Amino acid sequence: MNQIKLIIFFLIFISLHGCSMTSEQYMNKLTNTCNAYGFKQGTTEFSQCLQNADAQYRAEDSARRSRAQQAFSDAQQQLKGDGTTSGTINCYRTPGVPNSSYCQ
């Protein structure tokens, strides 16, 4: 049973941390987003765009983490005494979207 828990924990850990960005990559992502919207760097509008993009990314990241924590909690509840699970846990990742892994 402990081996199953370890495997589930490892899969969730990888889904949460396997695609982490450096702070430079993160700023490049936000900058590219605002450039794509047509904002000019150095303007108040560009700075506001960066703040909005950061807030949106953090909210999405928090929601992803909450879903992963819930999936982990659900997996623990599904464990039976013989070390098997009574249900299936599926993990997904949206192609091209960093940190988009989630399990259900």
Side-chain angles (χ1 to χ4, degrees):
M1 184 161 76
N2 286 336
Q3 186 177 16
I4 296 293
K5 286 182 182 179
L6 182 61
I7 290 169
I8 291 169
F9 175 77
F10 179 73
L11 290 174
I12 292 173
F13 178 81
I14 292 299
S15 74
L16 291 175
H17 298 286
C19 301
S20 296
M21 290 184 274
T22 65
S23 44
E24 182 178 342
Q25 290 170 324
Y26 180 68
M27 277 307 297
N28 285 338
K29 173 189 164 85
L30 297 179
T31 299
N32 290 339
T33 297
C34 294
N35 283 332
Y37 287 143
F39 294 106
K40 302 290 183 209
Q41 290 189 26
T43 64
T44 303
E45 292 80 9
F46 188 84
S47 296
Q48 186 63 47
C49 177
L50 287 176
Q51 290 176 354
N52 292 341
D54 178 55
Q56 180 180 356
Y57 177 81
R58 288 177 188 270
E60 291 169 356
D61 187 54
S62 177
R64 273 191 300 275
R65 289 178 187 273
S66 292
R67 285 191 305 267
Q69 287 174 340
Q70 185 61 50
F72 184 67
S73 177
D74 292 347
Q76 287 179 318
Q77 295 296 321
Q78 291 176 0
L79 286 175
K80 297 188 305 188
D82 62 359
T84 63
T85 60
S86 60
T88 303
I89 299 170
N90 296 304
C91 293
Y92 305 94
R93 181 169 184 232
T94 305
V97 180
N99 298 321
S100 64
S101 300
Y102 65 96
C103 299
Q104 57 184 21

